[in-house]
Amino acid sequence: MSVIALNPKSEAPVNATRETAEARALRETSPGQWFPYAAPQPRARDTRENAFSFRGISRKFGDKTVLDNIDLDVPAGQFIAVIGKSGCGKSTLLRLLTGLDKPTSGTLTVNKGTAGENRTRIMFQEPRLLPWAKIAKNVEVGLTGIAKGAEAREKSLAILNEVGLADRAEEWPSVLSGGQRQRVALARALVAHPYILALDEPLGALDALTRIEMQQLLERIWLQQTFTAVLVTHDVAEAVALADRVIVIDHGRIALDLDIPLERPRRHGSPELARLEGQILDTLFGEKAG
Amino acid sequence: MKSTVQSILRNGTGWLLPALIVLAWEIAARTGLISPNVMAAPSAVAEAFWRLLLSGELVRNIGVSTARALSGFVIGGSIGLIFGLANGLSGLSRNLTDTTLQMVRNIPHLALIPLVILWFGIDEEAKLFLVALGVFFPIYVNTLLGIQSVDPQLVEMGRVYGMSRTTLFFRVILPGALPAIFVGLRYALGIMWLTLIVAETIAASSGLGYMAMQAREFLLIDVVVLSILIYALLGKLADSFARLLERLTLQWHPAFQTA
């Protein structure tokens, strides 16, 4: 895990400059350098109604209980990360939320957005683009039943511009890199302005640098569009860097529900993030790990 | 300039060997190495071509054969496509019909010729029936395979985005099955000519196969060889057409991207 920042590699000469090593690292890695955006503002949709709530939700596959009596309320606009070892049921949680699966027992309430629309979008680990449709057409899939023709085209180009792929609109998915394809998948999920965006380890297959870039992009768009984000991940650093709140699922139950009250943009490897990461890893592996 | 010469050379290399063979063949026939009763010289075949072209016989026979081939293909191909789509999309339909179809598939359709002659005589129906039957199976099998091999992750994605069944079919399932359907199509085109030639050779009163059999009666070897060459040409033409269609509809496929 990225605890490197706890022991700065080089001591900055004290007299030569006022800038400490830590401050320089902050300046150099600040996301603002890559994606300039305004400092975090109060979220627009801050009425704190729940985006969705799980009440006593269980999901069994035969004898195996994957989710065991889960209670979870997620306020609208929150960025929540769900962490767990593989097979802990975190993906099942997401499939229940998006309606791909039904709970064995319990009630699941998904709120509608302000416009009365119920748009829950999911972004998969794989881009799942249609190889026979040009990039813009793939993004228009996100507007199925919502917009058509010139309007759909306009919206898809606008969101492609947002993810930095406006110039690739007329290309086939096969010529894009893995990171670019995942950005197209993000654009497709966002083009209809979802109320809830479920992310099923969408960055898991990307290389480390592309992943950090995608995290910045995701955070920036989330700050702009104020949807509720549910990120399932196995990367603890990613979870604490992006989320307002982290849920750890272990053996089908919520083992930890932790708020991350840090300012945005957050810096990878800061001591506070490292401390929270440690706390989460302790829950996952017991006290031995800490 | 240099590059155009190079490209002509590259495209022409495929034709180099056939040209050499024809040349050697002509020389062998002229020098008496091959007896005229065994094989006609290329020049004699060309002469026969010109003669039959002028008399209108050649055009008429090619027209008759092509019409038979295509109508049989359309009938058998569309039934195969319909069954392939139905069995690929519906488990009920597959359970109901697939076993029967697989049993029929294993009968060589040319073995039915005696039966077909008994049923239809040597009329058009006989040829249409045989061609349709021959074309049906490659199209059916490959369409079914194509639909079953569509990426289930893409289908799930389509459902999540609220695609209706029709949209899902036209936007996800059919394009995904298309490469396999094209394999079936090209296979079927080969079988189409093969079946027609055999059927026309055995029972017909017009068409290319009939022309070849008539020529045999009168020992017109040049016409027999001409018929065989025309078959080769028509087969190649059908295949090129299928490939053109393939290239136009499968532009997205990495195998068809020039860049």
mmCIF file of all heavy atoms in Angstrom, chain B residues 7-35:
data_model
loop_
_atom_site.group_PDB
_atom_site.id
_atom_site.type_symbol
_atom_site.label_atom_id
_atom_site.label_comp_id
_atom_site.label_asym_id
_atom_site.label_seq_id
_atom_site.Cartn_x
_atom_site.Cartn_y
_atom_site.Cartn_z
ATOM 1 N N SER B 7 2.611 -2.897 -57.013
ATOM 2 C CA SER B 7 1.280 -3.363 -56.610
ATOM 3 C C SER B 7 0.681 -4.256 -57.695
ATOM 4 O O SER B 7 0.002 -5.238 -57.406
ATOM 5 C CB SER B 7 0.374 -2.176 -56.294
ATOM 6 O OG SER B 7 -0.131 -1.625 -57.484
ATOM 7 N N ILE B 8 0.962 -3.901 -58.973
ATOM 8 C CA ILE B 8 0.485 -4.761 -60.067
ATOM 9 C C ILE B 8 1.132 -6.133 -59.948
ATOM 10 O O ILE B 8 0.460 -7.170 -60.066
ATOM 11 C CB ILE B 8 0.812 -4.120 -61.436
ATOM 12 C CG1 ILE B 8 -0.103 -2.909 -61.678
ATOM 13 C CG2 ILE B 8 0.629 -5.138 -62.573
ATOM 14 C CD1 ILE B 8 0.317 -2.066 -62.859
ATOM 15 N N LEU B 9 2.432 -6.123 -59.651
ATOM 16 C CA LEU B 9 3.140 -7.394 -59.508
ATOM 17 C C LEU B 9 2.547 -8.217 -58.373
ATOM 18 O O LEU B 9 2.311 -9.409 -58.498
ATOM 19 C CB LEU B 9 4.632 -7.143 -59.235
ATOM 20 C CG LEU B 9 5.495 -6.908 -60.483
ATOM 21 C CD1 LEU B 9 6.923 -6.624 -60.073
ATOM 22 C CD2 LEU B 9 5.432 -8.125 -61.410
ATOM 23 N N ARG B 10 2.288 -7.511 -57.228
ATOM 24 C CA ARG B 10 1.789 -8.229 -56.061
ATOM 25 C C ARG B 10 0.410 -8.808 -56.346
ATOM 26 O O ARG B 10 0.135 -9.964 -56.036
ATOM 27 C CB ARG B 10 1.741 -7.284 -54.859
ATOM 28 C CG ARG B 10 1.840 -8.015 -53.539
ATOM 29 C CD ARG B 10 1.861 -7.048 -52.353
ATOM 30 N NE ARG B 10 2.794 -5.957 -52.520
ATOM 31 C CZ ARG B 10 2.457 -4.674 -52.458
ATOM 32 N NH1 ARG B 10 1.211 -4.330 -52.231
ATOM 33 N NH2 ARG B 10 3.342 -3.729 -52.609
ATOM 34 N N ASN B 11 -0.492 -8.000 -56.968
ATOM 35 C CA ASN B 11 -1.830 -8.490 -57.258
ATOM 36 C C ASN B 11 -1.805 -9.523 -58.376
ATOM 37 O O ASN B 11 -2.676 -10.375 -58.459
ATOM 38 C CB ASN B 11 -2.743 -7.326 -57.649
ATOM 39 C CG ASN B 11 -2.966 -6.388 -56.487
ATOM 40 O OD1 ASN B 11 -2.984 -6.817 -55.342
ATOM 41 N ND2 ASN B 11 -3.110 -5.114 -56.779
ATOM 42 N N GLY B 12 -0.818 -9.406 -59.256
ATOM 43 C CA GLY B 12 -0.764 -10.295 -60.414
ATOM 44 C C GLY B 12 -0.167 -11.649 -60.120
ATOM 45 O O GLY B 12 -0.400 -12.599 -60.864
ATOM 46 N N THR B 13 0.574 -11.760 -59.020
ATOM 47 C CA THR B 13 1.284 -13.021 -58.766
ATOM 48 C C THR B 13 0.337 -14.209 -58.665
ATOM 49 O O THR B 13 0.704 -15.311 -59.052
ATOM 50 C CB THR B 13 2.128 -12.938 -57.486
ATOM 51 O OG1 THR B 13 1.378 -12.287 -56.487
ATOM 52 C CG2 THR B 13 3.432 -12.220 -57.719
ATOM 53 N N GLY B 14 -0.887 -13.964 -58.154
ATOM 54 C CA GLY B 14 -1.847 -15.057 -58.029
ATOM 55 C C GLY B 14 -2.241 -15.632 -59.373
ATOM 56 O O GLY B 14 -2.606 -16.809 -59.470
ATOM 57 N N TRP B 15 -2.170 -14.785 -60.420
ATOM 58 C CA TRP B 15 -2.598 -15.224 -61.756
ATOM 59 C C TRP B 15 -1.447 -15.799 -62.574
ATOM 60 O O TRP B 15 -1.644 -16.285 -63.677
ATOM 61 C CB TRP B 15 -3.231 -14.046 -62.509
ATOM 62 C CG TRP B 15 -4.501 -13.619 -61.862
ATOM 63 C CD1 TRP B 15 -4.693 -12.548 -61.054
ATOM 64 C CD2 TRP B 15 -5.762 -14.279 -61.949
ATOM 65 N NE1 TRP B 15 -5.985 -12.490 -60.618
ATOM 66 C CE2 TRP B 15 -6.674 -13.538 -61.153
ATOM 67 C CE3 TRP B 15 -6.224 -15.431 -62.605
ATOM 68 C CZ2 TRP B 15 -7.998 -13.906 -61.000
ATOM 69 C CZ3 TRP B 15 -7.553 -15.782 -62.447
ATOM 70 C CH2 TRP B 15 -8.434 -15.037 -61.659
ATOM 71 N N LEU B 16 -0.241 -15.705 -62.020
ATOM 72 C CA LEU B 16 0.938 -16.143 -62.754
ATOM 73 C C LEU B 16 0.891 -17.647 -63.046
ATOM 74 O O LEU B 16 1.091 -18.089 -64.180
ATOM 75 C CB LEU B 16 2.188 -15.804 -61.928
ATOM 76 C CG LEU B 16 3.469 -15.631 -62.734
ATOM 77 C CD1 LEU B 16 3.370 -14.455 -63.687
ATOM 78 C CD2 LEU B 16 4.656 -15.447 -61.792
ATOM 79 N N LEU B 17 0.588 -18.408 -62.012
ATOM 80 C CA LEU B 17 0.582 -19.868 -62.147
ATOM 81 C C LEU B 17 -0.493 -20.345 -63.131
ATOM 82 O O LEU B 17 -0.190 -21.126 -64.040
ATOM 83 C CB LEU B 17 0.411 -20.508 -60.767
ATOM 84 C CG LEU B 17 0.702 -21.999 -60.700
ATOM 85 C CD1 LEU B 17 2.140 -22.301 -61.092
ATOM 86 C CD2 LEU B 17 0.420 -22.523 -59.299
ATOM 87 N N PRO B 18 -1.749 -19.868 -63.012
ATOM 88 C CA PRO B 18 -2.756 -20.284 -63.995
ATOM 89 C C PRO B 18 -2.335 -19.951 -65.424
ATOM 90 O O PRO B 18 -2.518 -20.769 -66.342
ATOM 91 C CB PRO B 18 -3.999 -19.479 -63.585
ATOM 92 C CG PRO B 18 -3.795 -19.133 -62.170
ATOM 93 C CD PRO B 18 -2.333 -19.033 -61.952
ATOM 94 N N ALA B 19 -1.741 -18.765 -65.625
ATOM 95 C CA ALA B 19 -1.321 -18.371 -66.969
ATOM 96 C C ALA B 19 -0.270 -19.339 -67.510
ATOM 97 O O ALA B 19 -0.324 -19.756 -68.679
ATOM 98 C CB ALA B 19 -0.768 -16.946 -66.935
ATOM 99 N N LEU B 20 0.678 -19.708 -66.663
ATOM 100 C CA LEU B 20 1.720 -20.652 -67.078
ATOM 101 C C LEU B 20 1.124 -22.014 -67.438
ATOM 102 O O LEU B 20 1.515 -22.631 -68.418
ATOM 103 C CB LEU B 20 2.746 -20.813 -65.951
ATOM 104 C CG LEU B 20 3.833 -19.733 -65.891
ATOM 105 C CD1 LEU B 20 4.728 -19.954 -64.676
ATOM 106 C CD2 LEU B 20 4.659 -19.740 -67.176
ATOM 107 N N ILE B 21 0.157 -22.440 -66.615
ATOM 108 C CA ILE B 21 -0.480 -23.738 -66.869
ATOM 109 C C ILE B 21 -1.181 -23.727 -68.221
ATOM 110 O O ILE B 21 -1.047 -24.658 -69.028
ATOM 111 C CB ILE B 21 -1.465 -24.092 -65.724
ATOM 112 C CG1 ILE B 21 -0.687 -24.386 -64.445
ATOM 113 C CG2 ILE B 21 -2.334 -25.291 -66.111
ATOM 114 C CD1 ILE B 21 -1.555 -24.587 -63.226
ATOM 115 N N VAL B 22 -1.917 -22.639 -68.500
ATOM 116 C CA VAL B 22 -2.638 -22.529 -69.769
ATOM 117 C C VAL B 22 -1.645 -22.565 -70.935
ATOM 118 O O VAL B 22 -1.853 -23.238 -71.955
ATOM 119 C CB VAL B 22 -3.490 -21.238 -69.797
ATOM 120 C CG1 VAL B 22 -4.014 -20.975 -71.204
ATOM 121 C CG2 VAL B 22 -4.644 -21.346 -68.821
ATOM 122 N N LEU B 23 -0.524 -21.843 -70.761
ATOM 123 C CA LEU B 23 0.501 -21.792 -71.802
ATOM 124 C C LEU B 23 1.067 -23.194 -72.077
ATOM 125 O O LEU B 23 1.144 -23.640 -73.240
ATOM 126 C CB LEU B 23 1.622 -20.836 -71.367
ATOM 127 C CG LEU B 23 2.596 -20.433 -72.469
ATOM 128 C CD1 LEU B 23 1.915 -19.516 -73.484
ATOM 129 C CD2 LEU B 23 3.828 -19.764 -71.883
ATOM 130 N N ALA B 24 1.413 -23.902 -71.002
ATOM 131 C CA ALA B 24 1.981 -25.243 -71.135
ATOM 132 C C ALA B 24 0.977 -26.186 -71.784
ATOM 133 O O ALA B 24 1.321 -27.021 -72.642
ATOM 134 C CB ALA B 24 2.396 -25.769 -69.767
ATOM 135 N N TRP B 25 -0.270 -25.997 -71.400
ATOM 136 C CA TRP B 25 -1.378 -26.821 -71.917
ATOM 137 C C TRP B 25 -1.513 -26.621 -73.441
ATOM 138 O O TRP B 25 -1.607 -27.574 -74.201
ATOM 139 C CB TRP B 25 -2.633 -26.419 -71.145
ATOM 140 C CG TRP B 25 -3.934 -27.016 -71.565
ATOM 141 C CD1 TRP B 25 -4.146 -28.070 -72.418
ATOM 142 C CD2 TRP B 25 -5.212 -26.576 -71.142
ATOM 143 N NE1 TRP B 25 -5.476 -28.316 -72.545
ATOM 144 C CE2 TRP B 25 -6.162 -27.416 -71.767
ATOM 145 C CE3 TRP B 25 -5.658 -25.576 -70.278
ATOM 146 C CZ2 TRP B 25 -7.534 -27.250 -71.559
ATOM 147 C CZ3 TRP B 25 -7.021 -25.422 -70.075
ATOM 148 C CH2 TRP B 25 -7.947 -26.262 -70.718
ATOM 149 N N GLU B 26 -1.505 -25.334 -73.860
ATOM 150 C CA GLU B 26 -1.622 -25.009 -75.283
ATOM 151 C C GLU B 26 -0.476 -25.640 -76.077
ATOM 152 O O GLU B 26 -0.684 -26.255 -77.118
ATOM 153 C CB GLU B 26 -1.620 -23.475 -75.443
ATOM 154 C CG GLU B 26 -1.726 -22.978 -76.882
ATOM 155 C CD GLU B 26 -3.112 -23.168 -77.469
ATOM 156 O OE1 GLU B 26 -4.095 -22.966 -76.741
ATOM 157 O OE2 GLU B 26 -3.215 -23.547 -78.665
ATOM 158 N N ILE B 27 0.751 -25.489 -75.523
ATOM 159 C CA ILE B 27 1.923 -26.034 -76.217
ATOM 160 C C ILE B 27 1.807 -27.558 -76.336
ATOM 161 O O ILE B 27 2.028 -28.137 -77.408
ATOM 162 C CB ILE B 27 3.217 -25.644 -75.469
ATOM 163 C CG1 ILE B 27 3.459 -24.139 -75.616
ATOM 164 C CG2 ILE B 27 4.416 -26.409 -76.009
ATOM 165 C CD1 ILE B 27 4.535 -23.589 -74.696
ATOM 166 N N ALA B 28 1.381 -28.194 -75.230
ATOM 167 C CA ALA B 28 1.256 -29.648 -75.218
ATOM 168 C C ALA B 28 0.227 -30.113 -76.245
ATOM 169 O O ALA B 28 0.414 -31.128 -76.929
ATOM 170 C CB ALA B 28 0.882 -30.137 -73.826
ATOM 171 N N ALA B 29 -0.883 -29.352 -76.381
ATOM 172 C CA ALA B 29 -1.926 -29.725 -77.338
ATOM 173 C C ALA B 29 -1.445 -29.515 -78.770
ATOM 174 O O ALA B 29 -1.671 -30.354 -79.644
ATOM 175 C CB ALA B 29 -3.181 -28.901 -77.057
ATOM 176 N N ARG B 30 -0.736 -28.398 -79.015
ATOM 177 C CA ARG B 30 -0.248 -28.095 -80.368
ATOM 178 C C ARG B 30 0.770 -29.129 -80.835
ATOM 179 O O ARG B 30 0.778 -29.524 -81.993
ATOM 180 C CB ARG B 30 0.407 -26.709 -80.385
ATOM 181 C CG ARG B 30 -0.577 -25.557 -80.242
ATOM 182 C CD ARG B 30 -1.114 -25.119 -81.603
ATOM 183 N NE ARG B 30 -2.236 -24.228 -81.429
ATOM 184 C CZ ARG B 30 -2.167 -22.912 -81.605
ATOM 185 N NH1 ARG B 30 -1.032 -22.357 -81.957
ATOM 186 N NH2 ARG B 30 -3.228 -22.160 -81.426
ATOM 187 N N THR B 31 1.647 -29.551 -79.930
ATOM 188 C CA THR B 31 2.702 -30.487 -80.318
ATOM 189 C C THR B 31 2.206 -31.921 -80.352
ATOM 190 O O THR B 31 2.971 -32.830 -80.658
ATOM 191 C CB THR B 31 3.890 -30.387 -79.358
ATOM 192 O OG1 THR B 31 3.403 -30.588 -78.029
ATOM 193 C CG2 THR B 31 4.588 -29.039 -79.432
ATOM 194 N N GLY B 32 0.920 -32.120 -80.001
ATOM 195 C CA GLY B 32 0.371 -33.468 -80.054
ATOM 196 C C GLY B 32 0.683 -34.312 -78.838
ATOM 197 O O GLY B 32 0.423 -35.516 -78.815
ATOM 198 N N LEU B 33 1.221 -33.649 -77.804
ATOM 199 C CA LEU B 33 1.527 -34.367 -76.566
ATOM 200 C C LEU B 33 0.242 -34.838 -75.888
ATOM 201 O O LEU B 33 0.188 -35.898 -75.277
ATOM 202 C CB LEU B 33 2.314 -33.437 -75.635
ATOM 203 C CG LEU B 33 3.320 -34.095 -74.706
ATOM 204 C CD1 LEU B 33 4.456 -34.751 -75.497
ATOM 205 C CD2 LEU B 33 3.890 -33.068 -73.736
ATOM 206 N N ILE B 34 -0.815 -33.992 -75.984
ATOM 207 C CA ILE B 34 -2.133 -34.393 -75.489
ATOM 208 C C ILE B 34 -3.027 -34.622 -76.706
ATOM 209 O O ILE B 34 -3.164 -33.741 -77.554
ATOM 210 C CB ILE B 34 -2.753 -33.293 -74.610
ATOM 211 C CG1 ILE B 34 -1.828 -32.942 -73.439
ATOM 212 C CG2 ILE B 34 -4.104 -33.717 -74.098
ATOM 213 C CD1 ILE B 34 -2.320 -31.769 -72.618
ATOM 214 N N SER B 35 -3.648 -35.802 -76.763
ATOM 215 C CA SER B 35 -4.520 -36.107 -77.895
ATOM 216 C C SER B 35 -5.777 -35.247 -77.834
ATOM 217 O O SER B 35 -6.322 -35.021 -76.741
ATOM 218 C CB SER B 35 -4.875 -37.591 -77.854
ATOM 219 O OG SER B 35 -6.172 -37.799 -78.371
#
